[in-house]
Amino acid sequence: MLKSPKMLTLCLIGLAFCAALMAAVRATPVATAGDIQAGEDVVQAATPGPDGAMATRIAEAVQATVQARAVEATVQAITGQGAAPAQAGAVIRQENGIPAPVLIRPRDGVALDSARIRFEWRWDGELGENMGFEVRGWLEGESHNGLHDARRTDGMRPNWRGIYAYEMEFPAQFRGKDWYWTVAVVELEPYERIGPEADPHLVGVPKARGGSRQPASPLGQPESPLGGR
């Protein structure tokens, strides 16, 4: 039982401070030097002796929690296991303070040969004025060239799932071939490459039975050798 008003007052103050500090710790993913100092201040301010024993124990518990958060933050800094990026396990590169996008579809290694192709990606950023996306494609060993006019993406925003998308006709130069695609942020006027490319995905060619390639394009009708229908 509490034997004096002084002890009751100390306990109430200690409990209130503990609740406020714990709420702040839970809301902060990484402990800071200020958090640790706050815990130490509580211990130093606690009244010693029998009347202050409960407040001291409360303060010590708070300090232990804050120190545990500091240890967790240190481990995350050493191992790189912090908050999950856009893609689990991915290391998001940056250039000029611009993060690289993360490709979604077409999935890496998928086989496609269609009329149109839809590119989807995530990006942890927000397009500023005079900025857009450029979808690039290339054959192995060749230059990474844009597949469209990047100005068409001016002001592009993600959908409700946080996904950006750009749809276009299937690039004729890649029909019947294995090729790669990626996305990067660019400056529009004047055109300049300012952001890093996403890790590329391979787009393969569907194979018929026996391993032979399908016709380069299922859309174009073969010309008649007779020149007529």
Side-chain angles (χ1 to χ4, degrees), residues 1-213:
M1 291 182 61
L2 301 178
K3 298 182 179 180
S4 68
K6 178 181 179 181
M7 185 174 180
L8 175 60
T9 301
L10 286 173
C11 290
L12 291 176
I13 293 174
L15 289 172
F17 188 88
C18 177
L21 186 57
M22 288 298 291
V25 170
R26 286 195 298 269
T28 305
V30 177
T32 66
D35 294 330
I36 297 173
Q37 184 62 49
E40 294 173 349
D41 290 344
V42 173
V43 174
Q44 295 172 359
T47 304
D51 290 347
M54 182 177 292
T56 300
R57 287 197 297 271
I58 292 172
E60 288 174 346
V62 172
Q63 183 188 35
T65 301
V66 174
Q67 289 177 338
R69 299 284 290 181
V71 171
E72 179 184 357
T74 302
V75 172
Q76 290 179 354
I78 295 174
T79 63
Q81 296 177 353
Q87 188 177 62
V91 177
I92 305 301
R93 303 183 311 281
Q94 290 196 10
E95 292 178 14
N96 301 317
I98 301 173
V102 177
L103 306 187
I104 300 178
R105 291 185 179 84
R107 297 186 304 275
D108 191 23
V110 70
L112 291 176
D113 196 6
S114 57
R116 298 183 66 80
I117 184 169
R118 178 182 174 86
F119 301 100
E120 296 183 358
W121 64 92
R122 291 186 183 276
W123 183 56
D124 185 19
E126 184 174 347
L127 291 179
E129 185 178 354
N130 198 38
M131 294 171 62
F133 292 105
E134 182 177 66
V135 179
R136 300 170 185 165
W138 67 93
L139 299 176
E140 187 170 359
E142 295 187 354
S143 299
H144 301 191
N145 296 323
L147 299 179
H148 62 96
D149 186 340
R151 290 175 296 184
R152 295 178 181 175
T153 66
D154 186 13
M156 177 180 283
R157 293 291 181 266
N159 64 15
W160 62 275
R161 293 184 298 161
I163 296 175
Y164 292 86
Y166 186 82
E167 186 172 330
M168 58 177 292
E169 292 184 2
F170 197 100
Q173 67 270 33
F174 298 139
R175 290 200 178 279
K177 303 174 183 177
D178 294 337
W179 56 287
Y180 298 89
W181 75 278
T182 189
V183 177
V185 174
V186 297
E187 189 173 286
L188 302 177
E189 297 286 354
Y191 172 83
E192 183 179 354
R193 298 188 171 193
I194 58 176
E197 293 183 343
D199 291 336
H201 280 189
L202 171 68
V203 178
V205 180
K207 297 182 179 180
R209 293 181 180 178
S212 61
R213 299 286 190 182

